[in-house]
């Protein structure tokens, strides 16, 4: 199959290249860009010398129509405007940005402060939380956000099985700095972030409505959540720690049984029942999501932990997983990497 | 004045040396050790060459009796056994370990899994949360833990003024790796922790009862809290993010007014009302605690953030602040460093 | 083919597992250990849960005889004693330690301060610098050291073609901390190494005789070199910067022509002629070696730079490359990863 | 005394603020800026809240004339143009940039690719390598570069005493990323530099002529040197490793004797004769320069190592040391910090 990447120069794009390079079904990868047309990709990124020594291509309806799958990995506000113009009957689009995730474009405007995609196009997009959504027949996939992926995979079984009280959910997430993208700024400057952990966008992060919408879709519950995001001085990784009251009579065993029910057959979710430490480097470089849960008898509250690699399961990896599922390939095709623990 | 440090080779001890070196009232610093007697301190720590080129001394009752203040910065279970034996009428002891903090030694056994100090000696120790405790007349100070300091300074004004509902408190704390001390282990090995953020001791951290006890002491409220600890790949710094429901009718303005009431005259607490990002490197190397709070109108919950340097305000700095207060020096003596932002 | 790893719990072993996992010719991997027999490998390394959930096996002559290839990735002094006892007519051994590299066991004793392997066994071992050594027929491969690989690949073409004066070679190498292995120590403790670059083993590093021996073997020249090693605060990567006088009449073009002569057909060596910056993350996670050279007209000296991933091209990757070459597989089988630039 | 800082928002400026804050002779610090006039300094740098809550001031001849000392810490090409216009009979200027260091402004143009300061003004500036230059009477000090400081302090005693052959000097230096300043770029972006050590400006670094000029000035020798610069993933610190042939009959003891001759009375130079490891964190946050030397009998070459904090001894600290010496204060005034080893 022939695939294309719009936004190849961003980190999501780079990671798609890294993973698709060894995908047995992919015969060619066209790299598009909205700003650096003609630039030699390996000149911009010397680590790709000998691997991708050809120029970035301009985005045209014709070039795109020749491809089976196009991944868009662009900053907020780009793909939502671009895709309606270049869509066609043949190509499947998998959008890694947040532009197509919120079902109501008014929510998009509120949280993203950008011009939304047309409502009609958003209506065509299917949210692609791979372990929870049957995307059969979809031509446009809204690939989930990094934080929502880590949070939802760990919470949905417990909410769906009515084991915890979601109305009091507190979610405290921490991310490596690659989540901020490849554009240099004071907030991503080496010297000012190496010995720094910070909180940002307090109660204003655009992933809040995405998580709430998914809880409503998959667990059938609606309430506002508290969700915080922190930046920690590492390149990759998200750890999400969530807290909720346990429902009456529920035990820790019940919680693990719920995970087993939903994930026993899912190759990328690993449940770590006996962990004394759960760490982002357990999943680094891979599409795994590791989950651990602990009941505190003193407070009758549950602490739920999940870790992912934000660039893989939280972006490019899940996008490829979605492609595999859509095209009937083995779900793990191209995603069989062993974690780079060190 | 003559001071001594027991446990000088640990990180708390090193930080005491760093700060006391420029304290105008300190005329000598005796370095004790329980394990390396006779070793040349600057041989073990070459960064101190030319500054502390003399051998570590054995701990004796006589040597200690000559000193005005002795700081103990030892692993759990050491000072609680040692201090009752070497105490005297003259010397003031400031203990940086957790051995003397919990008023009930049964709690100590439960949470620390070590032999407790004698109850009678614990009874003599005064908890030294410097902004909240009048320690006049104390001869033994239990210097607060690193996490409790960050948490309590940010929560106590809001709890004491009855502005938030402490019974639903969720506290999610993140610490740099120096909090684990100077003993090498897999959990502090460079390669396995540099690209890793992890959760550890879930619902089992020994600082939980210390925080609960202090809330009872200073805010008059008793309930179990949920408190989690994470290890992030930086040397220094703690960021504590706490969540609680707002009491009826309370506004964000009320919260900042409470901070103003308790901290307007406190030199080391800085309240950052308009911060868009709060980061541990704002206080690095100093005794400052920076606090920010945000009300989420959607959930009616409040997000409370505080940052400290775990080795300074969370250990050696607060210990020196306590010494200053006890001896009637300027509270900031020896603690006027500008943060090492970079 | 069936492969085994002795010393699987070390970093070389972990990296062999990571790479062999996706090697199409490998049907099984047996993990041996000299110290943790019976331990569940994924319990020790949770990042391998679901991938290697079986116990480490004891090392026996019988178990080894069933395998086609056995990699030994053990600390100095182990494989040199072990392998003579377990060798057999069928199995090929690829030793990642330094035990079999120095042709004269007296040199081994001088530089490693350990008991050497028997001279007769060392005589059977072939040094496996993959781009320079034809290992056809070898049953025992001494896989090159990490530093020597980076250094030799960049120097040998220039020395062999008589373009630089090797008798005045100065080699200044810098390595990430994973080169120190997985055993915690003060020298690998996170807090004491994160903001630290250091020099160690000044003029005493055991890779000095290995480099000198290889220069003699492949370039036919013998002289003592100056070689220094530095530890830099990153996990992976070596950058070696070498300096030598240019021979009379030689130009920078000649130097690049020499690289082209030896490496144009070599898939893992990339020559970066126009680089303004050469960095270890250009090759991270891969078997690539990137090389750059610059002539300084002011001094008539040449500056030669090479970067590798010390755990891949400097250890496990080159070992697999050697296996591929020995068994007639495609040289890149299992080694087609794209660099993890971020 | 009243001091001012031009370029306070840069890292050199921030470090001057950090150090001068506790300098007993400094009664006020005026912060100037060429670009952010009127901005509240603590708004830009929240770590200074409560310490420097006043606006940056515009640079005027009148404002400057009221000050005793003005430090300029500006990018290349700024102070060389500015200072001739604002100079006056009263104020002493200490320039931390490279604009006034090279005696011949043609060299400046060649290496800096910027418009040079007027030759007449450069003629007035005295190079301020504090341990080697008597600056009595100077009104304009050209504060040495970070790399030259580390290199020269370690080499000058050996060259001056004719113990090593400088004509074959190879200097390989490694710096933390703060040396690149506070302006974000791809080359200082967290994600692309955290797991990266790189070489840059090969044989083109502007500190080359500065080192050569100082060797000529203080050791009376002229030759081109080979000098390389590497970027390592830490915030602060420079380690310079230099190599040269030993002169006939010279011993390692002679080398240490030379250091003793020049530095026994110098408070900031520490010679570490028995070090097995020399590391940048031994001097972090301080004005120390640690030096170690080792003779290799095999090659008859000497390996010389020195470490400094590039922002302190390599910039702000040495500038204050120069101020102290010029004004007759204790050389260590404001510079008595203990290294922040962790």
């Amino acid at each position: 199959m022939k695939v294309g990447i719009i936004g190849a120069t961003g980190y999501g794009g780079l990671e798609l290249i890294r993973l698709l390079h060894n995908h047995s079904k992919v015969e060619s990868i066209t790299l598009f860009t909205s700003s650096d047309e003609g630039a030699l990709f390996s000149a911009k990124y010397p680590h790709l010398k000998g691997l991708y020594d050809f120029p970035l291509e301009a985005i045209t309806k014709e070039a795109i129509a020749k491809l089976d799958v196009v991944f868009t990995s662009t900053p907020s506000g780009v793909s939502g405007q671009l895709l309606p113009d270049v869509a066609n009957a043949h190509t499947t689009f998998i959008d890694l940005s947040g532009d197509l995730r919120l079902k109501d474009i008014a929510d998009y405007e509120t949280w993203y402060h950008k011009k939304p995609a047309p409502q009609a196009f958003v209506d065509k997009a299917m949210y692609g939380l791979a372990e929870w959504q049957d995307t059969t027949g979809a031509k446009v996939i809204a690939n989930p956000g990094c934080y929502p992926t880590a949070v939802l995979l760990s919470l949905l079984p417990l909410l769906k099985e009515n084991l915890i009280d979601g109305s009091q959910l507190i979610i405290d997430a921490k991310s490596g700095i690659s989540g901020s993208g490849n554009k240099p700024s004071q907030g991503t400057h080496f010297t000012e972030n190496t010995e720094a952990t910070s909180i940002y966008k307090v109660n204003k992060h655009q992933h809040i409505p995405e998580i709430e919408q998914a809880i409503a879709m998959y667990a059938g519950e609606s309430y506002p959540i508290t969700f915080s995001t922190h930046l920690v001085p590492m390149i990759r990784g998200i750890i999400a720690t969530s807290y909720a009251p346990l429902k009456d009579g529920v035990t820790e065993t019940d919680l693990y049984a719920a995970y087993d029910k939903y994930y026993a057959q899912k190759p990328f979710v690993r449940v770590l029942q006996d962990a004394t430490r759960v760490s982002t480097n357990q999943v680094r470089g891979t599409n795994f999501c590791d989950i651990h849960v602990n009941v505190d008898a003193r407070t009758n509250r549950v602490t739920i932990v999940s870790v992912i690699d934000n660039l893989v399961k939280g972006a490019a990896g899940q996008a490829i997983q979605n492609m595999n599922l859509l095209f009937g390939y083995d779900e793990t095709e191209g995603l069989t990497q062993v974690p780079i623990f060190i």
Side-chain angles (χ1 to χ4, degrees), chain A residues 157-177:
Chain A
L158 311 188
L159 291 169
K160 175 89 164 157
E161 297 296 308
N162 201 26
L163 303 174
I164 59 172
D165 177 3
S167 72
Q168 294 190 47
L169 258 177
I170 305 288
I171 306 166
D172 187 291
K174 304 93 185 164
S175 175
I177 295 178

Side-chain angles (χ1 to χ4, degrees), chain A residues 15 145-147 175-180 234-238 283 286 308-317:
Chain A
E15 198 66 359
C146 52
Y147 286 122
S175 175
I177 295 178
S178 63
S180 300
M234 60 184 186
I235 302 174
R236 291 164 179 252
I238 283 177
V283 298
T286 72
I308 62 167
D309 182 319
N310 57 306
L311 294 178
V312 188
K313 186 62 175 167

Side-chain angles (χ1 to χ4, degrees), chain A residues 52-101:
Chain A
Y52 290 92
D53 289 328
F54 37 85
L56 292 163
E57 295 192 18
I59 304 166
T60 66
K61 211 163 156 41
E62 294 67 35
I64 284 171
K66 294 179 192 154
L67 303 173
D68 300 301
V69 176
V70 168
F71 297 94
T72 45
S73 182
T74 44
S76 295
V78 174
S79 61
Q81 304 304 310
L82 173 70
L83 290 185
D85 287 342
V86 298
N88 61 68
H90 169 64
T91 310
T92 298
F93 293 91
I94 301 178
D95 181 34
L96 282 71
S97 88
D99 280 16
L100 306 177
R101 293 181 199 145

Side-chain angles (χ1 to χ4, degrees), chain A residues 1 23 64 66 96 146 154 158 184 233 240 252 260 274 301 324:
Chain A
M1 77 190 314
H23 192 292
I64 284 171
K66 294 179 192 154
L96 282 71
C146 52
S154 65
L158 311 188
E252 198 171 280
D260 194 55
D274 301 317
R301 291 185 201 119
N324 289 341

Side-chain angles (χ1 to χ4, degrees), chain A residues 53 124 162 188 220 262 289 294 330:
Chain A
D53 289 328
K124 285 191 212 163
N162 201 26
T188 58
Y262 289 92
C289 174
N294 180 271
D330 187 312

Side-chain angles (χ1 to χ4, degrees), chain A residues 153-300:
Chain A
L153 289 178
S154 65
L155 292 182
L156 287 177
L158 311 188
L159 291 169
K160 175 89 164 157
E161 297 296 308
N162 201 26
L163 303 174
I164 59 172
D165 177 3
S167 72
Q168 294 190 47
L169 258 177
I170 305 288
I171 306 166
D172 187 291
K174 304 93 185 164
S175 175
I177 295 178
S178 63
S180 300
N182 75 334
K183 193 160 180 293
S185 72
Q186 229 65 40
T188 58
H189 199 45
F190 182 89
T191 38
E192 302 184 14
N193 289 277
T194 293
E195 273 282 299
T197 298
S198 58
I199 191 169
Y200 67 104
K201 291 193 187 178
V202 185
N203 292 317
K204 291 180 187 56
H205 199 285
Q206 68 276 12
H207 286 169
I208 292 174
E210 181 180 340
I211 295 170
E212 291 174 353
Q213 173 182 286
I215 289 176
M217 282 168 61
Y218 302 119
E221 300 186 349
S222 287
Y223 32 68
I225 58 165
T226 292
F227 171 70
S228 286
T229 52
H230 302 77
L231 213 54
V232 299
M234 60 184 186
I235 302 174
R236 291 164 179 252
I238 283 177
I239 181 166
T241 315
S242 303
Y243 307 91
L246 207 57
K247 289 282 178 80
D248 281 351
V250 175
T251 68
E252 198 171 280
T253 305
D254 298 331
L255 303 180
Y256 279 107
Y259 287 127
D260 194 55
K261 174 175 174 183
Y262 289 92
Y263 296 138
Q265 307 306 319
K266 300 293 184 186
F268 294 120
V269 179
R270 304 190 298 190
V271 180
L272 306 179
Q273 189 156 357
D274 301 317
T276 55
R277 183 180 171 186
V278 181
S279 178
T280 58
N281 60 353
Q282 287 168 194
V283 298
R284 194 154 60 115
T286 72
N287 206 46
F288 287 117
C289 174
D290 283 4
I291 298 174
H292 176 71
V293 67
N294 180 271
V295 169
D296 181 18
R298 299 169 65 254
T299 58
N300 208 37

